[in-house]
Each structure stands twice: as structure tokens, then as C-alpha cells.
Amino acid sequence: MAGAKRKRKNAIWRKIHALRYEDFKLWCVRRLPVLEWAPNYNWKADLLPDTISGMMLAVQQVTQGLAFAVLSSVHPVFGLYGSLFPVIIYAIFGMGRHVATGTFALTSLISANAVERLVPPMSSNFTANNNSTVLGLSEFEMQRIGVAAAVSLLGGLIQVAMFVLHLGSATFLLTEPVISAMTTGAATHVVTSQVKYLLGMKMPYISGPLGFFYIYAYIFENIKSIQLEALLLSVLSIVILVLVKELNEKFKGKIKVVLPIDLVLIVATSAACYYADMKHSYGMEVVGHIPEGIPLPRSPPMNILPEVITEAFGVALVGYVASLALAQASAKKFNYSVDDNQEFLAHGLSNVIPSFFFCIPSAAAMGRTALLFSTGAKTQVACLISCILVLVVIYAVGPMLYWLPMCVLASIIVVGLKGMLVQFRDLKKYWNVDKIDWSIWVSTYIFTICFAANVGLLYGVVCTILIVVFRFPRATTLSLKHMKEVECRFKTEADSESLQPVKIVSVNNPLVFLNAKKFHMDILKIIQKESTCAQQLPEDMNKYEQNTLLSPLSNGNCHGEPSLQQRPSERHSLILDCSGLTFFDYTGISVLTQIYTESKKRNIDVLLADCKASLIKALKLSGKLESENAIFFESVSSAVGAIQLNKNFCKLNEHTEV
């Protein structure tokens, strides 16, 4: 008897241990995404494109690392470290398979405020007073990197704390117009900070409120001090970079490997500067000595953490927002999921751990991520390969960069920010879709220019929330009505044996950034349910099932999206009854166009019934539905009739779009 009880007890304990092991395994996979994709890595198919992308990425990592370190007011060699350690950490913890993290212009600009404030400039010579035991650098340089590392450490700890508090679910407050305006304004700040190098001018560090305007006022006051040689070399570098990059983009489908113009320009200008002795002959500023090797890790100075808390919050928020936008774009383009909260952890650790290796704050950059897109990278292996090449530069090639002109480095930065600066073109679509969103973009950009990126971001979020709060009472559909799904099938005249499946979804709520993601998720669930439902359903339209799906102010997570797979033997149709949709913003319009384009790719017909004139105009002006007049109908019954006609008279083309 006792033996049987003991056996049962042991069996129970074994089940508990097995359950705990499975839970622990799932937790590890969820928190260490590398354990999910690395074991399934396709060495034959993916290694070659990842290697090519990694080599191209290494060039940008090195050039941007040097440039953004100078932007952060520290020695250029620390930018190389920032192009190495954060990349390795993100490859382990990050979910964006095509996200290239590392040094970042916006976070470098923010950390420079703390560096210049706590360690004011004492000498323009990087290696003056070599009395430090680390890399032969001066104590002045070590104090500066100590401040930047402290900003990185505290900013990373803030991001980890946000991960613990599950604040990733609050990212729906960061609307596209706010992110676009903030990043464009911050990019404008970065370009402004590089003007002194482009013009070859010596000028003091200027920051603070309205610092943007003070910089240009100083330049115009000292216009005679512009160095003509540096200006000509800057203009020539920018023209070459833009021209070659445009040609690479135009012919990327015809050539296997794009020309690494950044690397070619660095080698050519460094050689020209060396042989022409431009540093002494013309007084041209160069990068200077780059020490070899990586020093032993050291803790950032903890005593200054309270003094850099403002910059740390700016690094945490701005870096995360810019990186998350790139991760979500990557996931959408290549059909995988990204957990907003996990990205907090990944970027937090990518700032905390590297801060002990003399690294400046890091984040994902648009230019590097776009490079991975264009060169066909498959996974984070491309980023890890770039780390190997960065190590080669640190230990062998670094000293050869001594003669690289600073004006060329500044030109590379400015051209690299093109992707952010061209977001000015978004103003047209915001004006066409929702003038309120247009005004939010403009005002957020102005706040970012006048103050800082974190201030502009905070203003944009608060402004968006307040406008929605004041607009909601004016929406006649602001009630607790839910979206109702009506499911019906009818026999077609052309083929009485097959049934035409139709979903009719009535939207009776405002569609804004607060509920747009949840609306999208619920529509996907409807389509998934349609593809898996039983073969025989009521034929009479009066017999239907209603399901409550959407709460107007709820929000969904962005991972685990259902599939839009459908039976090949049936053609599906989705009718959105928009009679109750009287209030929308740009995010809501974007979701509707996204639902249409995704469904169209999967041969699912989407029809919009009883739309207000403003909604039709906004959808057409969004750029995705300009020529799709046939998807708008006066009523649900007319949309159903169109489906019947399409089935009867368009049998020759199975993919006819309604």
C-alpha cells in the first residue's frame, strides 16, 4: 500500500518536473529568440546572402560608428566598440531578424548633451595629455566616454524596467505621424550638428532650447571662416554618394553585389588627404589616431547617474521608438512576428551590457536596416558576420583611418539620413487623409526642432491623446456598440452546386489609433474562421450567426497573428458595413488599406458598403486605393449583388477583383 502511494507520488512529481521543464523551455525560447531561429538556420540557402549583407553592413557600421562617436562628443574608437557589442546582444535577445542595431545618430546627439555639460571641451587634440592607462588615451577622453557609457547604462536600465512593467503594450500611443515627425526633426538636428564639419568651421558646442537656430546664427555671423577646401570636398562627396546610391537602388535587381561607395570614398579621400598632406597644407580636420584593440571592461561612473537621468530617458524612449518602427516594418515585410515588450528587453540589454565596454548608447538605424533589406539578408547572422569584420578593423585596420577627413565623414552621415529626411513627403498624404494628423506632424516637428527629440515625442503623444479625447464626444457612434459579424452563403445562378461564402462586418465605432490594431486582429480572425468553417451553412441570408468581437478602445498585441489561408475550392468575400464609421484618423485609414492589400494578395474580395464621402476620399487619397472605385457600394445589398454578378459573369478569371 505504502509502495503504491510512493509510486503515485513519484509519478506526480515527475509530471510536475516535466511540466516545469516545458514551461522553462518555452520561457527561454520566448526570451531568447535566437533559440528559435538559429537551430533552423538554412546554411545552404541563407549563408551566402547573409555573408554578402554582413560585408556590406560592416562598411556602414564602421563609418557610422566613427561618425556617431564624434557626434556623441567622444573619441571615434568608441564608436567602433558601439558597432560591435550591441549587435551581438541584440542578435541573441532581439526579434527583428533584419534589424541592424549599433550606434545611432539620435541617441548619440542626446548623449552628447550630457558629455558636453559634465565634461566641457579642454582641447581639440584627441590624444593630448596621454596619461591614461587605457588605449593610451587622455584622462579627458576617458572621462567623456565615462559619461556617455553612464547614459547608455541608465537608459538601458530604464528600458529593462519598461519591459518588466509590460509597457510594450502601450506602443499603440505612438502613432505613425508622431514617429515620422520626431525622427525627421531629430535627423534635421543631426544634419545641423554636422554643418561645422561640412564647412570646415571651428565653432563651440551649442545645445539647449532653440539651439538649432543659434547654430545657424553663429554660422552666418562667422561666414568668412568657412574653409573652401572642406566645402568643395563635402559637396563632391555628397554628390558622389547620392548618385551612386541611387544607381545601386535602380539596378539592384540586375546586379548581385552593390558598389560599397562608402568604403570606396573613405579609401580614396584618406589616400588623397595623406599624399596631399591636406592636414598641414590646408588645415583640414581629420579623424586622427585610432588605437588598436579592445580594453578590459570597466564599470561606468555610478556617481554621475543622477546627473544624466534626463538624457537617459531620452535615449530610452527615442531609441526604442525608432528601433521598434524598423522591427515592425521588417516583420511586416518578411511575414514574421515581433513582440513589442521583448524589444524593450533586447534594446535595454544592448545598452546595459555594452556600457561596461566603453560603448555609447545604441539603437537600430534606418539606413543599416534598409541595407539589409536591399542586399537580401535572411537573419541576424548577417549582423554577426559584420561584427567579425568590425573586429578586424579594431585590431588591424583602425590606424589606417587616421587621414580620413572629417568633412567626408560628415557627408556620409548626412546622406545616410536621407531616409528620415524624405519623410517630409508624408505631409501630403497626411493632409489628404486627415488634416488633424497633418497638424500633429507639423507641430511635433517644430517642437523637436526647437527643443529636443524626447520633448517632441512627448508632445506628439500628449497632443494625439488630447485631440482624440476632444473629438470622441463629437462622434455620433461613440457608444458601447460592438462590431457585429454577419455570416451568410447563397447559391449562385451559374453554379448551383457551389456556395459563395460571404462575411458582412458592421463597424459601429470610431476607427483611430486606440483601437486600430485590435480591429485589424479581429478582421484577421474573421477571415481565419471563414476558411475553417463547416462546408454547409444556411443558404438564406436571414439565417445568420452574430458574434461580438470588438470593444472600441481595446488594444491587441502584435505577435501571433492568425493566418489568412483559405480553401482553394472556395472564393471568399468580406463586406465591411461602414455606415457607423463616422470618425477616423490616419492610423485607421492605414489599417483599412492594409486589410485590403493583404486580402487581395490572398484572393479574398473586400468590399466597403455605405461609406461616408469623407472616408471614400481619404481611402482614395491614401495612395493605395486610387483606382479601386469598384470596392465602394451604396449599401450592403448592392455589395452582395455585385458578388453574385461577379460570380456569374466573370468565371473565366478566378482572380477577378471586385
Side-chain angles (χ1 to χ4, degrees):
M1 193 74 174
K5 289 184 178 179
R6 191 178 298 109
K7 288 182 180 180
R8 285 196 299 269
K9 187 176 181 180
N10 290 338
I12 293 173
W13 275 109
R14 282 196 297 269
K15 290 181 180 179
I16 292 174
H17 284 303
L19 184 61
R20 289 177 178 175
Y21 172 75
E22 289 298 325
D23 290 341
F24 177 73
K25 185 178 178 181
L26 290 174
W27 182 88
C28 288
V29 172
R30 191 166 63 249
R31 296 305 169 213
L32 298 170
V34 67
L35 298 178
E36 181 179 356
W37 61 264
N40 302 318
Y41 186 74
N42 190 334
W43 292 92
K44 291 183 179 180
D46 297 343
L47 184 59
L48 180 59
D50 279 343
T51 301
I52 295 174
S53 298
M55 294 172 64
M56 301 294 295
L57 178 63
V59 176
Q60 279 205 7
Q61 288 281 26
V62 171
T63 55
Q64 292 185 358
L66 295 172
F68 295 156
V70 174
L71 182 61
S72 193
S73 298
V74 299
H75 193 281
V77 72
F78 300 120
L80 297 179
Y81 304 155
S83 301
L84 174 65
F85 294 104
V87 180
I88 298 173
I89 302 301
Y90 184 83
I92 298 173
F93 293 94
M95 299 189 71
R97 300 173 194 170
H98 302 79
V99 172
T101 193
T103 55
F104 185 44
L106 307 189
T107 54
S108 296
L109 192 64
I110 294 173
S111 65
N113 293 332
V115 172
E116 294 287 345
R117 188 180 74 251
L118 298 179
V119 189
M122 54 176 289
S123 173
S124 61
N125 187 354
F126 276 133
T127 56
N129 304 321
N130 290 332
N131 53 1
S132 171
T133 59
V134 181
L135 300 174
L137 297 177
S138 65
E139 285 294 338
F140 170 70
E141 292 295 347
M142 297 312 299
Q143 290 178 7
R144 287 204 147 195
I145 187 56
V147 174
V151 174
S152 178
L153 173 63
L154 188 55
L157 291 175
I158 292 172
Q159 289 174 326
V160 173
M162 291 178 174
F163 160 77
V164 174
L165 297 175
H166 293 278
L167 294 183
S169 59
T171 54
F172 68 94
L173 295 173
L174 304 171
T175 61
E176 183 180 331
V178 172
I179 295 176
S180 174
M182 184 274 293
T183 53
T184 306
T188 308
H189 270 297
V190 175
V191 171
T192 301
S193 70
Q194 298 303 300
V195 170
K196 63 180 181 180
Y197 298 115
L198 296 173
L199 301 178
M201 294 181 64
K202 303 289 185 182
M203 61 182 296
Y205 180 81
I206 301 175
S207 64
L210 304 180
F212 173 85
F213 303 100
Y214 291 138
I215 290 175
Y216 286 105
Y218 181 91
I219 291 173
F220 284 113
E221 289 176 1
N222 300 271
I223 195 74
K224 295 181 179 180
S225 63
I226 291 178
Q227 192 178 33
L228 184 60
E229 296 80 8
L231 176 59
L232 293 175
L233 186 56
S234 299
V235 173
L236 180 62
S237 300
I238 291 175
V239 170
I240 293 174
L241 286 168
V242 172
L243 181 62
V244 176
K245 287 179 182 290
E246 288 295 325
L247 291 175
N248 283 339
E249 184 67 23
K250 184 177 181 179
F251 297 104
K252 66 180 180 181
K254 299 180 180 180
I255 55 178
K256 294 183 178 180
V257 181
V258 297
L259 177 65
I261 185 59
D262 294 359
L263 178 62
V264 173
L265 187 65
I266 288 173
V267 173
T269 54
S270 297
C273 185
Y274 172 75
Y275 287 109
D277 197 17
M278 294 183 181
K279 179 180 179 181
H280 300 101
S281 301
Y282 304 105
M284 187 170 293
E285 188 175 358
V286 297
V287 169
H289 174 62
I290 304 292
E292 297 180 13
I294 300 176
L296 294 175
R298 176 190 293 182
S299 172
M302 300 296 177
N303 59 313
I304 65 172
L305 292 183
E307 301 181 57
V308 299
I309 190 168
T310 302
E311 288 82 6
F313 265 106
V315 164
L317 295 177
V318 174
Y320 172 76
V321 169
S323 302
L324 181 64
L326 295 175
Q328 290 177 339
S330 168
K332 180 180 176 181
K333 183 177 180 67
F334 296 98
N335 298 319
Y336 61 87
S337 60
V338 170
D339 184 350
D340 298 356
N341 209 49
Q342 176 66 21
E343 289 297 289
F344 261 131
L345 177 64
H347 289 288
L349 295 179
S350 297
N351 277 310
V352 171
I353 298 175
S355 67
F356 291 85
F357 293 89
F358 305 96
C359 291
I360 60 179
S362 66
M366 180 182 292
R368 297 194 299 265
T369 302
L371 176 67
L372 291 182
F373 286 0
S374 62
T375 54
K378 303 298 182 182
T379 64
Q380 281 288 324
V381 170
C383 298
L384 295 177
I385 291 174
S386 74
C387 291
I388 297 174
L389 299 177
V390 171
L391 270 175
V392 173
V393 173
I394 292 174
Y395 279 95
V397 185
M400 301 180 187
L401 299 172
Y402 180 97
W403 294 97
L404 176 61
M406 288 298 300
C407 60
V408 174
L409 206 55
S411 301
I412 294 174
I413 294 178
V414 171
V415 175
L417 293 171
K418 176 189 172 185
M420 292 185 181
L421 295 174
V422 297
Q423 292 179 132
F424 278 110
R425 295 183 299 190
D426 294 344
L427 282 171
K428 181 179 179 180
K429 67 180 182 181
Y430 295 137
W431 178 266
N432 291 334
V433 174
D434 187 2
K435 293 179 176 56
I436 297 294
D437 280 335
W438 180 89
S439 63
I440 291 176
W441 196 104
V442 172
S443 58
T444 301
Y445 177 81
I446 293 174
F447 261 76
T448 303
I449 288 296
C450 293
F451 300 99
N454 51 341
V455 177
L457 180 64
L458 180 62
Y459 164 81
V461 171
V462 173
C463 187
T464 302
I465 294 175
L466 290 177
I467 287 177
V468 170
V469 168
F470 283 107
R471 289 175 78 183
F472 261 176
R474 300 185 181 183
T476 58
T477 56
L478 181 59
S479 64
L480 294 181
K481 291 182 181 180
H482 298 294
M483 183 176 68
K484 296 179 180 179
E485 170 200 350
V486 179
E487 183 176 315
C488 67
R489 291 194 180 196
F490 55 86
K491 286 185 178 181
T492 61
E493 297 176 8
D495 186 1
S496 60
E497 298 299 326
S498 64
L499 295 174
Q500 172 76 34
V502 177
K503 286 283 187 179
I504 304 174
V505 176
S506 178
V507 186
N508 296 314
N509 300 298
L511 187 56
V512 294
F513 71 95
L514 293 173
N515 65 339
K517 186 184 293 185
K518 182 61 166 58
F519 174 81
H520 188 199
M521 290 294 296
D522 285 340
I523 291 294
L524 295 183
K525 289 177 182 178
I526 291 174
I527 298 174
Q528 183 190 39
K529 180 180 176 182
E530 171 70 9
S531 65
T532 58
C533 64
Q535 289 289 334
Q536 297 295 329
L537 289 175
E539 299 176 8
D540 190 346
M541 287 185 61
N542 294 323
K543 299 178 181 179
Y544 56 81
E545 177 185 1
Q546 294 185 349
N547 298 307
T548 300
L549 293 174
L550 173 64
S551 178
L553 298 181
S554 58
N555 179 54
N557 209 337
C558 76
H559 60 280
E561 292 187 358
S563 171
L564 290 179
Q565 298 288 333
Q566 64 190 49
R567 290 194 201 94
S569 60
E570 292 183 341
R571 183 175 182 84
H572 296 254
S573 296
L574 173 65
I575 299 176
L576 295 181
D577 179 8
C578 301
S579 57
L581 205 169
T582 56
F583 173 38
F584 53 86
D585 63 2
Y586 179 80
T587 305
I589 294 297
S590 298
V591 165
L592 286 176
T593 56
Q594 185 178 352
I595 290 171
Y596 174 79
T597 53
E598 289 178 354
S599 302
K600 186 177 180 181
K601 291 178 182 178
R602 294 164 175 83
N603 198 27
I604 299 174
D605 298 328
V606 177
L607 295 82
L608 303 178
D610 203 0
C611 299
K612 302 295 185 291
S614 58
L615 178 61
I616 296 176
K617 179 181 178 182
L619 286 169
K620 289 183 177 181
L621 292 176
S622 66
K624 299 288 182 64
L625 305 177
E626 292 181 78
S627 59
E628 303 293 344
N629 291 318
I631 71 168
F632 300 105
F633 295 89
E634 294 182 356
S635 63
V636 173
S637 59
S638 61
V640 173
I643 296 174
Q644 287 178 305
L645 290 174
N646 182 70
K647 183 69 176 180
N648 291 335
F649 298 108
C650 300
K651 292 179 63 179
L652 295 179
N653 186 357
E654 293 182 357
H655 298 284
T656 299
E657 295 174 16
V658 179

